[in-house]
Amino acid sequence: MLPHLTTILFLLLLLCSCDSYFEPECPDTDEKTVLYCMPSPDTDTVLIQLSRSVPLSSSGTPPKGIPGADIDFRINGTLHPVQWNEKATPSLPAECYYVCSHVNEGDRIEIMASTDGIAPVSAFTVIPPPFPLNHISFGLKPGISPQLQIRINFTDDASSVDYYGVRVCRMNVSGADSTETVLKPGLTDEPLLNHKVGIDATFDLDYNYYQDLYIWSDEQVQGKEYTLRLNVDYIPDTPEESGQAASGEKHLYKVALYTLSSELYHYLKSVNDISNNELGQNGLAPIRSHYTNITNGFGVLGGCQYYDSGWLSPHL
């Protein structure tokens, strides 16, 4: 059985967007293994991508993929065989490792990897629970430029520390033609995601989220019911003209919701913080390193769960 296509495409996007790098603050200039793995119950295949870091004394980018590595992959202590994929397929990228096994909420995933000439690396994560969604609704915010407000109501679990993510897409449908777009919602009505504070608020600097995946922790809503509010441009549907089925246009929306392990959340947050550190990029503030939970290496092993709302009509 092939993995859930939407989930695997998102994970591939994350994996393929990750470069091998060397952390400047680390005194050790030896090559290190870079490991990325994001297991999810929404797939029956776990991807593992290995590459080598680039020491400061070297230049260029090493090729991704390290064939012949010795990888120990365990789910709740049980060893599972790891296979190598040489050429890209519809469900797997080229030069990666994979495990044909399903994972479930609460599973502990452990990886140890050894490659010639590089110190072995190891990491673990635990698969988080599903997103605690109650319902999704829509509202219209009137004004000179009306906005559609997407409202996501959920109840956080008071007994645990949880991390979440959301992406929003719009599909414009005209007759047999359709186009899909990932949206960048306005966050003026959403304090969990609006990080304009300090100098960012003073100069009205936007805080951008990697791959338009908006992430947050439950620190401010611990154990409470909460409604997340995301604003997008309102585009009203146009009716079909008499006898011309292709003349009308309608607009549908899809909400993808994620729960993230602590490791994956902190890795993505570090990517966001570095990308939004404009002062640091101009030499006016320190630049922090990417978060990693890979012992003796770089990258991240982090679990997630995914919920897809399907295409919804606002019905305003």
Side-chain angles (χ1 to χ4, degrees), residues 4 11 24 28 36 51 74 88 103 123 173 179 202 236 250-252 286 290 300:
H4 188 291
L11 297 180
D28 186 359
Y36 289 103
S51 59
R74 296 176 185 265
V103 299
V173 182
T179 57
T202 301
K250 61 180 179 179
H251 306 86
L252 306 174
H290 290 78
V300 66

Side-chain angles (χ1 to χ4, degrees), residues 33 35 37 48 50 69-75 77-80 82 97 99 108-115 118-125 293-296 301:
T33 298
L35 186 155
C37 180
I48 304 171
L50 297 182
D70 183 11
I71 301 177
D72 185 299
F73 181 92
R74 296 176 185 265
I75 303 176
T78 300
L79 186 65
H80 291 258
V82 178
Y97 294 91
V99 177
R108 179 184 171 96
I109 312 300
E110 298 173 275
I111 297 180
M112 291 182 287
S114 301
T115 58
I118 304 180
V121 297
S122 62
F124 76 91
T125 191
N293 66 325
I294 309 299
T295 302
N296 292 329
L301 167 61

Side-chain angles (χ1 to χ4, degrees), residues 46-110:
V46 180
L47 303 181
I48 304 171
Q49 188 172 63
L50 297 182
S51 59
R52 298 173 184 266
S53 66
V54 180
L56 288 176
S57 58
S58 302
S59 61
T61 301
K64 292 183 179 179
I66 304 177
D70 183 11
I71 301 177
D72 185 299
F73 181 92
R74 296 176 185 265
I75 303 176
N76 298 324
T78 300
L79 186 65
H80 291 258
V82 178
Q83 303 180 62
W84 168 256
N85 184 63
E86 182 67 27
K87 297 183 179 180
T89 70
S91 59
L92 292 170
E95 298 181 308
C96 75
Y97 294 91
Y98 66 98
V99 177
C100 292
S101 182
H102 190 78
V103 299
N104 299 293
E105 174 188 350
D107 283 351
R108 179 184 171 96
I109 312 300
E110 298 173 275

Side-chain angles (χ1 to χ4, degrees), residues 249-268:
E249 186 174 65
K250 61 180 179 179
H251 306 86
L252 306 174
Y253 297 84
K254 180 166 64 176
V255 178
L257 297 168
Y258 299 84
T259 49
L260 310 170
S261 70
S262 172
E263 301 84 10
L264 186 52
Y265 169 80
H266 285 99
Y267 174 78
L268 292 172

Side-chain angles (χ1 to χ4, degrees), residues 12-308:
L12 286 176
L13 186 61
L14 285 179
L15 288 171
C16 294
S17 299
C18 300
D19 294 325
S20 304
Y21 59 88
F22 173 77
E23 303 290 358
E25 62 191 48
C26 178
D28 186 359
T29 58
D30 292 338
E31 281 188 327
K32 291 182 179 293
T33 298
V34 183
L35 186 155
Y36 289 103
C37 180
M38 302 168 192
S40 168
D42 308 291
T43 76
D44 56 13
T45 303
V46 180
L47 303 181
I48 304 171
Q49 188 172 63
L50 297 182
S51 59
R52 298 173 184 266
S53 66
V54 180
L56 288 176
S57 58
S58 302
S59 61
T61 301
K64 292 183 179 179
I66 304 177
D70 183 11
I71 301 177
D72 185 299
F73 181 92
R74 296 176 185 265
I75 303 176
N76 298 324
T78 300
L79 186 65
H80 291 258
V82 178
Q83 303 180 62
W84 168 256
N85 184 63
E86 182 67 27
K87 297 183 179 180
T89 70
S91 59
L92 292 170
E95 298 181 308
C96 75
Y97 294 91
Y98 66 98
V99 177
C100 292
S101 182
H102 190 78
V103 299
N104 299 293
E105 174 188 350
D107 283 351
R108 179 184 171 96
I109 312 300
E110 298 173 275
I111 297 180
M112 291 182 287
S114 301
T115 58
D116 291 340
I118 304 180
V121 297
S122 62
F124 76 91
T125 191
V126 176
I127 304 299
F131 190 92
L133 176 68
N134 295 325
H135 57 81
I136 298 172
S137 61
F138 299 88
L140 186 62
K141 291 193 63 179
I144 298 177
S145 299
Q147 289 187 307
L148 178 70
Q149 187 172 88
I150 302 173
R151 299 163 182 167
I152 303 165
N153 181 269
F154 67 97
T155 302
D156 180 66
D157 185 351
S159 65
S160 59
V161 178
D162 301 294
Y163 304 94
Y164 305 113
V166 61
R167 297 178 92 220
V168 178
C169 297
R170 178 169 56 218
M171 181 166 61
N172 300 337
V173 182
S174 179
D177 298 324
S178 64
T179 57
E180 184 177 337
T181 306
V182 178
L183 301 179
K184 293 181 179 292
L187 305 176
T188 55
D189 295 323
E190 190 39 70
L192 292 186
L193 299 174
N194 188 350
H195 296 315
K196 286 187 178 182
V197 295
I199 193 169
D200 289 345
T202 301
F203 293 101
D204 195 28
L205 300 176
D206 289 331
Y207 185 93
N208 297 310
Y209 287 82
Y210 179 67
Q211 299 293 347
D212 298 314
L213 173 63
Y214 294 75
I215 61 173
W216 72 97
S217 73
D218 68 354
E219 181 179 357
Q220 298 181 58
V221 295
Q222 180 66 254
K224 300 177 182 178
E225 180 180 345
Y226 186 82
T227 299
L228 197 76
R229 291 173 168 83
L230 306 176
N231 300 327
V232 299
D233 292 337
Y234 174 60
I235 306 176
D237 293 347
T238 56
E240 297 177 357
E241 297 180 9
S242 178
Q244 300 183 40
S247 60
E249 186 174 65
K250 61 180 179 179
H251 306 86
L252 306 174
Y253 297 84
K254 180 166 64 176
V255 178
L257 297 168
Y258 299 84
T259 49
L260 310 170
S261 70
S262 172
E263 301 84 10
L264 186 52
Y265 169 80
H266 285 99
Y267 174 78
L268 292 172
K269 187 177 185 301
S270 73
V271 172
N272 291 338
D273 290 344
I274 292 170
S275 174
N276 286 279
N277 185 5
E278 295 189 23
L279 291 177
Q281 293 168 12
N282 289 280
L284 300 176
I287 297 179
R288 295 181 179 179
S289 60
H290 290 78
Y291 168 88
T292 183
N293 66 325
I294 309 299
T295 302
N296 292 329
F298 301 125
V300 66
L301 167 61
C304 70
Q305 289 227 40
Y306 169 80
Y307 168 81
D308 185 336

